[in-house]
Amino acid sequence: TFGNGSPTYSSYRLALWKYLKGAGIKFSFVGSQHSGAKELEQRANEGHPGWHIRQISAHIVTWLQEYRPTYVLLHIGTNDIWFHDDVLHAPERLRLLIEQITETLPGVTVLVAQITPEGAQYERQVASFNGAIPGIVSAEVAAGKRVEFAGESYTVQPIRPEAFAGVQIVLSSTPGKVSKEYSPIAAKAG
């Protein structure tokens, strides 16, 4: 996020920077843009005020290859709604953007935020866009993309007998038929 509309042009990045620094976590903000409060020692970001999802998609591969981030934070879609850019298909553009990111950098963790309503005239479109995000993210997770849980990174795998080897805990949501087939295999594996 560039921080447009924020008094310091820092947006959430200042609070995130303070948190990470205070926790002693080594990190670097990366990107071709620079903005933010003077106290924000790392002002790099890839926020582009006024840009739509399709514009970010047109450049994302180049940026990812240049900066090679470990995490990508996406707060995107607001401009698609404000400027009536084929709002119905904005969630699909988001899905394709996430796919571009995870295919370009297979080990990356993508964090997707919901957009915030900016006036009553946009509430329905924002609610529809935000309502699509969990399904998009769930589909990416089911396809084996990176997920973070309790500070550890995991990759979700499709169920198969050999997937249980060496596993201490299994988190699943499976239909009864699948559970009946795989529960004995999981129990036998330990």
Side-chain angles (χ1 to χ4, degrees), residues 13 117 139:
R13 290 180 295 115

Side-chain angles (χ1 to χ4, degrees), residues 130-145:
N130 285 342
I133 293 173
I136 293 167
V137 171
S138 294
E140 292 297 312
V141 167
K145 307 303 183 195

